[in-house]
Amino acid sequence: MSTPLASRRLLLVHAHPDDETINNGATMARYAAEGALVTLVTATLGEEGEILEPGLEHLAADAEDRLGEHRAGELAAAMTALGVSDHRLLGGPGRFRDSGMMGTPANDRPDCFWRVDLREAADLLVPVVREVRPQVVVTYDENGGYGHPDHIQAHRVATYALALAAVASYRPDLGPAWQVSKVYWNAMPRSFVAEGIEAMKQQGSDFFGVESVDDLPFVVPDEAVSAAVDGTAFVPAKLDAMRAHATQIAVDGPFFALSNQIGLQAWGREFYRLAAGTPGPVDPQTGWETDLFAGLG
């Protein structure tokens, strides 16, 4: 037995605009189309991101420093493409700044997300959890996928906020307590990534010089994966959302041209590790759930 679609509620916690589309775009579009409530919380405006769109270099952090407000517009357009109407910035626009990569000056700024007190940030997420009352939450693993400080911090803040939100005596002014049923971390199974790299090499790409799939920090063993969501029917929506993030993603560039030749599998299947909760029924061939709400009555 599964949760009725009309009462399904999914919350995603991400670090920057575009992270949600790359990791979960097809999943978000699928559940939104099926009638589930999909809520996205983004921690920063991605002010330190590189700018790929010609003519917008003046928005960069080392120039006018207005990339964040531009990326807020990109995020809104991406959510329209995915059919997601409930998207929020943690604490409001500009509350926490993009931290950049470890060791950069941006990472030392006192207002960056990496430096925020966990309780301060969690107290901004707790009321969202209690308001939305999601059965399922998606965020990053403890390494943020590949070690980005904002991804790691988003993992920490989400984990802390979910624990606090479930305690009735904690900040009752932030709403009634709510216990999430399942927490998933984004994941990329080794076999899937290896197949993709090989397919792209056959198309003539060296995949950025990567010699082995094991050199990629975000890859996890297949046995660590818990769920694979089939969103192939929503690949066009995901690609439109990626195009909306034009300063960050060159969808019409050579990498995407090659990957699109591989087929819808490249963008339509999204993978997850179950970090908390009880797994539901699985696909007998893969041993993975095919629905993040599987097993929830």
Side-chain angles (χ1 to χ4, degrees):
M1 182 177 181
S2 60
T3 306
L5 290 177
S7 62
R8 291 182 169 188
R9 299 178 300 278
L10 171 65
L11 172 65
L12 302 99
V13 181
H14 275 288
H16 316 103
D18 83 351
D19 291 332
E20 80 296 322
T21 297
I22 293 170
N23 288 283
N24 315 114
T27 299
M28 296 171 72
R30 171 183 157 177
Y31 283 123
E34 290 178 348
L37 172 63
V38 178
T39 298
L40 169 69
V41 174
T42 307
T44 81
L45 288 172
E47 295 91 342
E48 298 295 330
E50 296 182 18
I51 298 178
L52 302 180
E53 192 170 15
L56 293 181
E57 296 85 355
H58 61 282
L59 299 177
D62 60 357
E64 296 177 5
D65 197 15
R66 294 194 295 113
L67 179 58
E69 61 189 75
H70 185 85
R71 292 189 70 180
E74 291 183 336
L75 178 61
M79 292 304 96
T80 297
L82 297 179
V84 173
S85 58
D86 188 10
H87 54 96
R88 317 179 189 199
L89 292 165
L90 186 65
R95 176 65 178 269
F96 305 116
R97 187 180 173 91
D98 182 351
S99 307
M101 296 302 292
M102 295 289 194
T104 65
N107 199 239
D108 292 327
R109 289 181 56 137
D111 60 343
C112 77
F113 188 50
W114 177 245
R115 302 291 172 184
V116 68
D117 179 79
L118 283 179
R119 178 68 65 86
E120 176 187 347
D123 276 356
L124 295 170
L125 185 57
V126 166
V128 179
V129 174
R130 290 179 171 177
E131 173 198 341
V132 174
R133 301 169 70 84
Q135 297 98 347
V136 177
V137 172
V138 170
T139 190
Y140 312 92
D141 64 18
E142 70 278 13
N143 190 47
Y146 64 94
H148 193 294
D150 285 336
H151 291 206
I152 296 171
Q153 190 76 322
H155 161 85
R156 292 173 176 172
V157 170
T159 302
Y160 194 20
L162 293 178
L164 295 175
V167 179
S169 61
Y170 181 75
R171 295 292 305 272
D173 59 304
L174 299 181
W178 178 255
Q179 175 71 57
V180 170
S181 298
K182 300 170 85 174
V183 178
Y184 288 95
W185 296 340
N186 296 313
M188 288 296 288
R190 187 185 189 282
S191 62
F192 182 78
V193 178
E195 289 172 6
I197 291 175
E198 181 58 32
M200 290 193 68
K201 286 183 176 179
Q202 291 179 8
Q203 294 284 340
S205 169
D206 67 355
F207 199 77
F208 308 107
V210 174
E211 296 184 2
S212 169
V213 65
D214 297 313
D215 294 334
L216 299 172
F218 54 81
V219 172
V220 301
D222 284 26
E223 55 269 24
V225 174
S226 308
V229 174
D230 183 357
T232 52
F234 300 95
V235 167
K238 178 172 181 174
L239 291 177
D240 282 346
M242 293 172 88
R243 289 187 179 94
H245 290 294
T247 61
Q248 306 301 303
I249 307 173
V251 176
D252 299 317
F255 169 74
F256 284 94
L258 280 168
S259 62
N260 288 340
Q261 292 175 30
I262 298 172
L264 297 180
Q265 290 283 357
W267 304 115
R269 295 185 72 205
E270 294 169 345
F271 302 90
Y272 303 89
R273 295 169 64 185
L274 183 64
T278 303
V282 300
D283 181 325
Q285 292 186 329
T286 64
W288 297 336
E289 295 173 302
T290 59
D291 179 6
L292 300 185
F293 294 88
L296 301 182

